[in-house]
Coordinates of all heavy atoms in Angstrom, one line a residue:
N1186 N -160.9 -42.1 -62.8 CA -161.4 -40.8 -62.3 C -161.9 -40.9 -60.9 O -162.6 -41.8 -60.6 CB -162.4 -40.3 -63.3 CG -161.9 -39.9 -64.6 OD1 -160.8 -40.3 -65.1 ND2 -162.6 -39.0 -65.4
P1187 N -161.7 -39.8 -60.1 CA -162.3 -39.8 -58.8 C -163.8 -39.7 -58.9 O -164.4 -39.0 -59.8 CB -161.7 -38.5 -58.2 CG -160.9 -37.9 -59.2 CD -160.9 -38.7 -60.4
V1188 N -164.5 -40.3 -57.9 CA -165.9 -40.3 -57.8 C -166.4 -39.8 -56.5 O -165.8 -40.2 -55.4 CB -166.5 -41.7 -58.0 CG1 -168.0 -41.8 -57.9 CG2 -166.1 -42.3 -59.4
V1189 N -167.3 -38.9 -56.4 CA -167.9 -38.4 -55.2 C -169.4 -38.9 -55.2 O -170.1 -38.8 -56.1 CB -167.9 -36.9 -55.2 CG1 -168.7 -36.3 -54.0 CG2 -166.5 -36.3 -55.1
F1190 N -169.7 -39.5 -54.0 CA -171.1 -39.9 -53.8 C -171.8 -38.9 -52.9 O -171.2 -38.7 -51.8 CB -171.2 -41.3 -53.2 CG -172.6 -41.8 -52.9 CD1 -173.3 -42.4 -53.9 CD2 -173.1 -41.6 -51.7 CE1 -174.6 -42.8 -53.6 CE2 -174.4 -42.0 -51.4 CZ -175.2 -42.6 -52.4
A1191 N -172.9 -38.4 -53.3 CA -173.6 -37.4 -52.4 C -175.1 -37.8 -52.3 O -175.7 -38.2 -53.3 CB -173.5 -36.0 -53.0
S1192 N -175.6 -37.6 -51.1 CA -177.0 -37.8 -50.9 C -177.4 -36.7 -49.9 O -176.7 -36.2 -49.1 CB -177.2 -39.1 -50.2 OG -178.5 -39.4 -50.0
H1193 N -178.6 -36.2 -50.2 CA -179.1 -35.1 -49.3 C -180.6 -35.4 -49.0 O -181.3 -36.0 -49.7 CB -178.9 -33.7 -49.8 CG -179.6 -33.4 -51.1 ND1 -181.0 -33.1 -51.1 CD2 -179.2 -33.3 -52.4 CE1 -181.4 -32.9 -52.4 NE2 -180.3 -33.0 -53.1
Q1194 N -181.0 -34.8 -47.9 CA -182.4 -34.9 -47.5 C -183.3 -34.1 -48.4 O -183.0 -33.0 -48.7 CB -182.5 -34.4 -46.0 CG -183.8 -34.7 -45.3 CD -183.7 -34.3 -43.9 OE1 -183.5 -33.1 -43.6 NE2 -183.8 -35.2 -43.0
W1195 N -184.5 -34.7 -48.7 CA -185.5 -34.0 -49.5 C -186.0 -32.8 -48.7 O -186.2 -32.9 -47.5 CB -186.6 -34.9 -49.8 CG -186.4 -35.8 -51.0 CD1 -185.3 -36.5 -51.2 CD2 -187.3 -36.0 -52.0 NE1 -185.4 -37.2 -52.4 CE2 -186.7 -37.0 -52.9 CE3 -188.5 -35.6 -52.4 CZ2 -187.3 -37.4 -54.1 CZ3 -189.1 -36.1 -53.5 CH2 -188.5 -37.0 -54.4
L1196 N -186.2 -31.6 -49.3 CA -186.7 -30.4 -48.6 C -188.2 -30.2 -48.9 O -188.8 -29.3 -48.3 CB -185.9 -29.2 -49.1 CG -184.4 -29.3 -48.8 CD1 -183.7 -28.0 -49.3 CD2 -184.2 -29.5 -47.3
D1197 N -188.8 -31.0 -49.8 CA -190.2 -30.8 -50.2 C -190.7 -32.2 -50.6 O -190.0 -33.0 -51.1 CB -190.3 -29.8 -51.4 CG -191.7 -29.5 -51.8 OD1 -192.2 -30.3 -52.6 OD2 -192.2 -28.5 -51.3
S1198 N -192.0 -32.4 -50.3 CA -192.5 -33.7 -50.7 C -192.6 -34.0 -52.2 O -192.7 -35.1 -52.6 CB -193.9 -33.9 -50.1 OG -194.8 -32.9 -50.6
A1199 N -192.6 -33.0 -53.0 CA -192.7 -33.1 -54.4 C -191.4 -33.0 -55.2 O -191.3 -33.4 -56.3 CB -193.7 -32.1 -55.0
H1200 N -190.3 -32.5 -54.5 CA -189.0 -32.3 -55.2 C -187.9 -32.3 -54.1 O -188.1 -31.7 -53.1 CB -189.1 -30.9 -55.9 CG -187.9 -30.7 -56.8 ND1 -186.7 -30.3 -56.4 CD2 -187.8 -30.9 -58.1 CE1 -185.9 -30.2 -57.4 NE2 -186.5 -30.6 -58.5
P1201 N -186.8 -33.0 -54.4 CA -185.8 -33.1 -53.4 C -185.1 -31.8 -53.1 O -184.6 -31.6 -52.0 CB -184.8 -34.1 -54.1 CG -185.0 -34.0 -55.5 CD -186.5 -33.7 -55.6
D1202 N -185.0 -30.8 -54.0 CA -184.3 -29.6 -53.8 C -185.0 -28.5 -54.6 O -184.4 -28.0 -55.6 CB -182.8 -29.8 -54.2 CG -181.9 -28.6 -53.7 OD1 -182.4 -27.8 -53.0 OD2 -180.8 -28.6 -54.2
P1203 N -186.2 -28.1 -54.2 CA -187.0 -27.2 -55.1 C -186.3 -25.9 -55.5 O -186.7 -25.3 -56.5 CB -188.3 -27.0 -54.3 CG -187.9 -27.3 -52.9 CD -186.8 -28.3 -52.9
H1204 N -185.4 -25.4 -54.7 CA -184.8 -24.1 -55.0 C -183.3 -24.3 -55.4 O -182.5 -23.3 -55.4 CB -184.9 -23.1 -53.9 CG -186.4 -22.9 -53.6 ND1 -187.3 -22.2 -54.4 CD2 -187.1 -23.3 -52.5 CE1 -188.5 -22.2 -53.9 NE2 -188.4 -22.8 -52.7
C1205 N -182.9 -25.5 -55.6 CA -181.5 -25.9 -56.0 C -180.5 -25.4 -55.0 O -179.3 -25.2 -55.3 CB -181.2 -25.4 -57.4 SG -182.2 -26.2 -58.6
V1206 N -180.8 -25.3 -53.7 CA -179.9 -24.8 -52.7 C -178.8 -25.9 -52.4 O -177.6 -25.6 -52.4 CB -180.7 -24.5 -51.4 CG1 -179.7 -24.2 -50.2 CG2 -181.6 -23.4 -51.6
Q1207 N -179.3 -27.1 -52.2 CA -178.3 -28.2 -52.0 C -177.5 -28.6 -53.2 O -176.3 -28.9 -53.1 CB -179.1 -29.4 -51.4 CG -179.7 -29.1 -50.1 CD -180.3 -30.3 -49.4 OE1 -179.6 -31.1 -48.9 NE2 -181.6 -30.3 -49.2
Y1208 N -178.1 -28.5 -54.4 CA -177.4 -28.7 -55.6 C -176.3 -27.7 -55.8 O -175.1 -28.0 -56.1 CB -178.3 -28.7 -56.8 CG -177.6 -28.9 -58.1 CD1 -177.2 -30.1 -58.5 CD2 -177.3 -27.8 -59.0 CE1 -176.5 -30.3 -59.7 CE2 -176.7 -28.0 -60.1 CZ -176.3 -29.2 -60.5 OH -175.6 -29.4 -61.7
A1209 N -176.6 -26.4 -55.5 CA -175.5 -25.4 -55.6 C -174.4 -25.6 -54.7 O -173.2 -25.4 -55.0 CB -176.2 -24.0 -55.4
A1210 N -174.7 -26.1 -53.4 CA -173.7 -26.4 -52.5 C -172.8 -27.6 -52.9 O -171.6 -27.6 -52.7 CB -174.3 -26.7 -51.1
L1211 N -173.5 -28.6 -53.5 CA -172.7 -29.7 -54.0 C -171.8 -29.3 -55.2 O -170.6 -29.7 -55.2 CB -173.7 -30.8 -54.5 CG -173.0 -32.0 -55.2 CD1 -172.1 -32.7 -54.3 CD2 -174.1 -32.9 -55.8
V1212 N -172.2 -28.4 -56.1 CA -171.4 -27.9 -57.2 C -170.2 -27.2 -56.6 O -169.1 -27.4 -57.0 CB -172.2 -27.1 -58.2 CG1 -171.3 -26.4 -59.2 CG2 -173.2 -28.0 -58.9
A1213 N -170.5 -26.3 -55.7 CA -169.4 -25.5 -55.1 C -168.4 -26.4 -54.4 O -167.2 -26.2 -54.5 CB -170.0 -24.5 -54.1
A1214 N -168.9 -27.4 -53.6 CA -168.0 -28.4 -53.0 C -167.1 -29.2 -54.0 O -165.9 -29.4 -53.8 CB -168.8 -29.3 -52.1
G1215 N -167.8 -29.6 -55.1 CA -167.1 -30.3 -56.1 C -166.0 -29.4 -56.8 O -164.9 -29.9 -57.0
E1216 N -166.3 -28.2 -57.0 CA -165.3 -27.3 -57.6 C -164.2 -27.0 -56.7 O -163.0 -27.0 -57.1 CB -166.0 -26.0 -58.1 CG -166.9 -26.2 -59.3 CD -167.7 -25.0 -59.7 OE1 -167.8 -24.0 -58.9 OE2 -168.2 -24.9 -60.8
A1217 N -164.5 -26.9 -55.4 CA -163.4 -26.7 -54.4 C -162.5 -27.9 -54.3 O -161.3 -27.8 -54.2 CB -164.0 -26.3 -53.0
L1218 N -163.1 -29.1 -54.3 CA -162.4 -30.3 -54.3 C -161.4 -30.4 -55.5 O -160.3 -30.8 -55.3 CB -163.3 -31.5 -54.2 CG -162.7 -32.9 -54.2 CD1 -161.9 -33.1 -52.9 CD2 -163.7 -34.0 -54.4
C1219 N -161.9 -30.0 -56.6 CA -161.1 -30.1 -57.8 C -159.9 -29.1 -57.7 O -158.8 -29.5 -58.1 CB -161.9 -29.7 -59.1 SG -163.0 -31.1 -59.6
V1220 N -160.1 -27.9 -57.2 CA -159.0 -27.0 -57.0 C -158.0 -27.5 -56.0 O -156.8 -27.5 -56.2 CB -159.6 -25.6 -56.5 CG1 -158.4 -24.7 -56.1 CG2 -160.4 -24.9 -57.6
Q1221 N -158.5 -28.1 -54.9 CA -157.7 -28.6 -53.8 C -156.8 -29.8 -54.3 O -155.7 -29.9 -53.9 CB -158.5 -29.0 -52.7 CG -157.8 -29.6 -51.5 CD -158.7 -30.2 -50.4 OE1 -159.7 -30.8 -50.7 NE2 -158.3 -29.9 -49.2
Q1222 N -157.4 -30.6 -55.2 CA -156.7 -31.8 -55.6 C -156.0 -31.6 -57.0 O -155.4 -32.6 -57.5 CB -157.7 -33.0 -55.7 CG -158.3 -33.4 -54.3 CD -157.3 -33.8 -53.4 OE1 -156.4 -34.6 -53.7 NE2 -157.4 -33.4 -52.1
G1223 N -156.2 -30.5 -57.6 CA -155.5 -30.2 -58.9 C -156.2 -31.0 -60.0 O -155.5 -31.4 -61.0
L1224 N -157.5 -31.1 -59.9 CA -158.2 -31.9 -61.0 C -158.9 -30.9 -61.9 O -159.4 -29.9 -61.5 CB -159.3 -32.8 -60.3 CG -158.9 -33.9 -59.4 CD1 -160.1 -34.5 -58.6 CD2 -158.1 -34.9 -60.1
D1225 N -159.1 -31.3 -63.1 CA -160.0 -30.6 -64.1 C -161.4 -31.0 -63.7 O -161.6 -32.2 -63.3 CB -159.7 -31.1 -65.5 CG -160.5 -30.4 -66.5 OD1 -161.7 -30.8 -66.6 OD2 -160.1 -29.4 -67.1
R1226 N -162.3 -30.1 -63.6 CA -163.7 -30.4 -63.2 C -164.3 -31.4 -64.0 O -165.3 -32.1 -63.6 CB -164.5 -29.1 -63.1 CG -164.7 -28.4 -64.4 CD -165.3 -27.1 -64.3 NE -166.8 -27.2 -64.0 CZ -167.6 -26.3 -63.9 NH1 -167.2 -25.0 -63.9 NH2 -168.9 -26.5 -63.7
N1227 N -163.9 -31.6 -65.2 CA -164.4 -32.7 -66.1 C -163.9 -34.1 -65.7 O -164.4 -35.1 -66.2 CB -164.2 -32.4 -67.6 CG -164.9 -31.2 -68.0 OD1 -166.0 -30.9 -67.7 ND2 -164.2 -30.3 -68.8
E1228 N -163.0 -34.1 -64.8 CA -162.4 -35.4 -64.4 C -163.2 -36.0 -63.2 O -163.1 -37.2 -62.9 CB -160.9 -35.3 -64.0 CG -160.0 -34.9 -65.1 CD -158.6 -34.7 -64.6 OE1 -158.2 -35.2 -63.6 OE2 -157.9 -33.9 -65.3
L1229 N -163.9 -35.2 -62.5 CA -164.6 -35.6 -61.3 C -166.0 -36.1 -61.7 O -166.8 -35.4 -62.3 CB -164.8 -34.4 -60.3 CG -165.5 -34.7 -59.0 CD1 -164.6 -35.7 -58.2 CD2 -165.7 -33.4 -58.2
Y1230 N -166.3 -37.4 -61.3 CA -167.6 -38.0 -61.4 C -168.4 -37.8 -60.2 O -167.9 -38.0 -59.1 CB -167.5 -39.4 -61.8 CG -166.9 -39.8 -63.1 CD1 -166.3 -41.0 -63.3 CD2 -166.8 -38.8 -64.1 CE1 -165.8 -41.3 -64.6 CE2 -166.3 -39.1 -65.4 CZ -165.7 -40.4 -65.6 OH -165.2 -40.7 -66.8
V1231 N -169.7 -37.4 -60.3 CA -170.5 -37.2 -59.1 C -171.8 -38.1 -59.3 O -172.4 -38.1 -60.3 CB -171.0 -35.7 -59.0 CG1 -171.9 -35.6 -57.8 CG2 -169.8 -34.8 -58.9
W1232 N -172.0 -38.9 -58.2 CA -173.2 -39.7 -58.1 C -174.1 -39.0 -57.2 O -173.8 -38.9 -56.0 CB -172.9 -41.1 -57.6 CG -174.0 -42.0 -57.4 CD1 -175.1 -41.8 -56.6 CD2 -174.3 -43.3 -58.0 NE1 -176.0 -42.8 -56.6 CE2 -175.5 -43.8 -57.5 CE3 -173.5 -44.1 -58.9 CZ2 -176.0 -45.0 -57.8 CZ3 -174.0 -45.3 -59.2 CH2 -175.3 -45.8 -58.7
L1233 N -175.2 -38.5 -57.6 CA -176.1 -37.7 -56.7 C -177.4 -38.6 -56.5 O -178.1 -38.9 -57.4 CB -176.5 -36.4 -57.4 CG -177.5 -35.5 -56.6 CD1 -177.0 -35.3 -55.2 CD2 -177.8 -34.3 -57.3
D1234 N -177.5 -39.0 -55.3 CA -178.6 -39.9 -54.9 C -179.7 -38.9 -54.3 O -179.6 -38.3 -53.3 CB -178.2 -40.8 -53.8 CG -179.3 -41.6 -53.1 OD1 -180.3 -41.8 -53.8 OD2 -179.2 -42.0 -52.0
V1235 N -180.8 -38.9 -55.1 CA -182.0 -38.1 -54.6 C -183.2 -38.9 -54.3 O -184.2 -38.4 -54.0 CB -182.4 -37.0 -55.7 CG1 -181.2 -36.0 -55.9 CG2 -182.8 -37.7 -57.0
R1236 N -183.0 -40.2 -54.2 CA -184.1 -41.1 -54.0 C -184.2 -41.7 -52.6 O -185.3 -42.0 -52.1 CB -184.1 -42.3 -55.0 CG -184.2 -41.9 -56.4 CD -185.6 -41.6 -56.9 NE -186.4 -42.7 -56.7 CZ -187.7 -42.7 -56.9 NH1 -188.3 -41.6 -57.2 NH2 -188.4 -43.8 -56.7
S1237 N -183.1 -41.8 -51.9 CA -183.1 -42.6 -50.7 C -183.1 -41.7 -49.4 O -183.1 -42.3 -48.3 CB -181.9 -43.5 -50.6 OG -180.7 -42.8 -50.6
A1238 N -183.1 -40.4 -49.4 CA -183.0 -39.6 -48.2 C -184.2 -38.7 -48.1 O -184.1 -37.5 -48.0 CB -181.7 -38.8 -48.2
L1239 N -185.4 -39.3 -48.0 CA -186.6 -38.5 -47.8 C -186.6 -37.8 -46.4 O -186.1 -38.3 -45.5 CB -187.9 -39.3 -47.8 CG -188.2 -39.9 -49.2 CD1 -189.4 -40.9 -49.1 CD2 -188.5 -38.9 -50.2
A1240 N -187.0 -36.5 -46.4 CA -187.0 -35.7 -45.2 C -187.9 -36.4 -44.2 O -189.0 -36.9 -44.5 CB -187.5 -34.3 -45.5
P1241 N -187.4 -36.4 -42.9 CA -188.2 -37.1 -41.9 C -189.7 -36.6 -41.7 O -190.6 -37.4 -41.5 CB -187.4 -36.8 -40.6 CG -186.0 -36.6 -41.0 CD -186.2 -36.0 -42.4
A1242 N -189.9 -35.3 -41.9 CA -191.2 -34.8 -41.8 C -192.1 -35.2 -43.0 O -193.3 -35.2 -42.9 CB -191.2 -33.2 -41.8
L1243 N -191.5 -35.7 -44.0 CA -192.2 -36.2 -45.2 C -192.4 -37.7 -45.2 O -193.1 -38.2 -46.0 CB -191.5 -35.7 -46.5 CG -191.1 -34.3 -46.6 CD1 -190.3 -34.0 -47.8 CD2 -192.4 -33.4 -46.6
T1244 N -191.7 -38.3 -44.3 CA -191.8 -39.8 -44.2 C -192.6 -40.1 -42.9 O -192.3 -39.6 -41.8 CB -190.4 -40.4 -44.0 OG1 -189.6 -40.0 -45.1 CG2 -190.5 -41.9 -44.0
H1245 N -193.7 -40.9 -43.0 CA -194.5 -41.1 -41.9 C -194.5 -42.6 -41.5 O -194.4 -43.5 -42.3 CB -196.0 -40.7 -42.2 CG -196.1 -39.2 -42.5 ND1 -196.1 -38.3 -41.5 CD2 -196.1 -38.6 -43.7 CE1 -196.2 -37.1 -42.1 NE2 -196.2 -37.2 -43.4
T1246 N -194.5 -42.8 -40.2 CA -194.6 -44.2 -39.7 C -195.9 -44.2 -38.9 O -196.0 -43.5 -37.9 CB -193.4 -44.5 -38.8 OG1 -192.2 -44.3 -39.5 CG2 -193.5 -45.9 -38.2
R1247 N -196.8 -45.0 -39.3 CA -198.1 -45.1 -38.6 C -198.7 -43.8 -38.5 O -199.3 -43.5 -37.5 CB -197.9 -45.8 -37.2 CG -197.4 -47.2 -37.3 CD -197.4 -47.8 -36.0 NE -196.7 -49.1 -36.1 CZ -195.9 -49.6 -35.2 NH1 -195.6 -48.9 -34.1 NH2 -195.3 -50.8 -35.3
G1248 N -198.6 -42.9 -39.5 CA -199.3 -41.7 -39.5 C -198.6 -40.6 -38.7 O -199.1 -39.5 -38.6
R1249 N -197.5 -40.8 -38.1 CA -196.8 -39.8 -37.3 C -195.6 -39.2 -38.0 O -194.8 -40.0 -38.6 CB -196.3 -40.4 -36.0 CG -197.4 -40.9 -35.1 CD -196.9 -41.5 -33.8 NE -196.0 -42.6 -34.3 CZ -195.1 -43.2 -33.5 NH1 -195.0 -42.9 -32.2 NH2 -194.3 -44.2 -33.9
S1250 N -195.4 -37.9 -37.9 CA -194.2 -37.3 -38.5 C -193.0 -37.7 -37.6 O -193.1 -37.8 -36.4 CB -194.4 -35.8 -38.4 OG -193.2 -35.2 -38.8
L1251 N -191.9 -37.9 -38.3 CA -190.7 -38.3 -37.6 C -189.8 -37.2 -37.2 O -188.8 -37.3 -36.6 CB -189.9 -39.3 -38.5 CG -190.6 -40.6 -38.8 CD1 -189.7 -41.4 -39.7 CD2 -190.9 -41.4 -37.5
G1252 N -190.2 -35.9 -37.5 CA -189.4 -34.8 -37.1 C -189.4 -33.7 -38.2 O -190.0 -33.8 -39.2
P1253 N -188.7 -32.6 -38.0 CA -188.6 -31.5 -38.9 C -187.9 -31.8 -40.2 O -186.9 -32.6 -40.1 CB -188.0 -30.4 -38.1 CG -187.1 -31.1 -37.1 CD -187.9 -32.3 -36.7
A1254 N -188.3 -31.3 -41.3 CA -187.6 -31.5 -42.6 C -186.3 -30.8 -42.7 O -185.3 -31.3 -43.3 CB -188.5 -31.1 -43.7
V1255 N -186.2 -29.6 -42.1 CA -184.9 -28.9 -42.2 C -184.6 -28.4 -40.8 O -185.4 -27.9 -40.0 CB -185.2 -27.6 -43.0 CG1 -183.9 -26.8 -43.1 CG2 -185.6 -28.0 -44.4
T1256 N -183.3 -28.6 -40.4 CA -182.8 -28.1 -39.1 C -181.7 -27.1 -39.4 O -181.0 -27.2 -40.4 CB -182.2 -29.3 -38.3 OG1 -181.2 -29.9 -39.0 CG2 -183.3 -30.3 -37.9
K1257 N -181.7 -26.1 -38.6 CA -180.7 -25.0 -38.8 C -179.8 -24.9 -37.6 O -180.1 -25.3 -36.6 CB -181.4 -23.7 -39.0 CG -182.2 -23.6 -40.3 CD -182.8 -22.3 -40.5 CE -183.6 -22.3 -41.8 NZ -184.1 -21.1 -42.1

């Protein structure tokens, strides 16, 4: 089965995606990929990494913020 690996930046210090915005985008992208590749959505495996991409503004080095958490 095809596997998709996804990782996204945390948007809040207590939760990686508090309003499920990035999760919804991942689901939509996975569904579009399945349509494009002719896969049943139950055939696609998704590995969602929510532990290794802390937002820069939430990660501090020597007490300094490394930048904004969200860029538009």
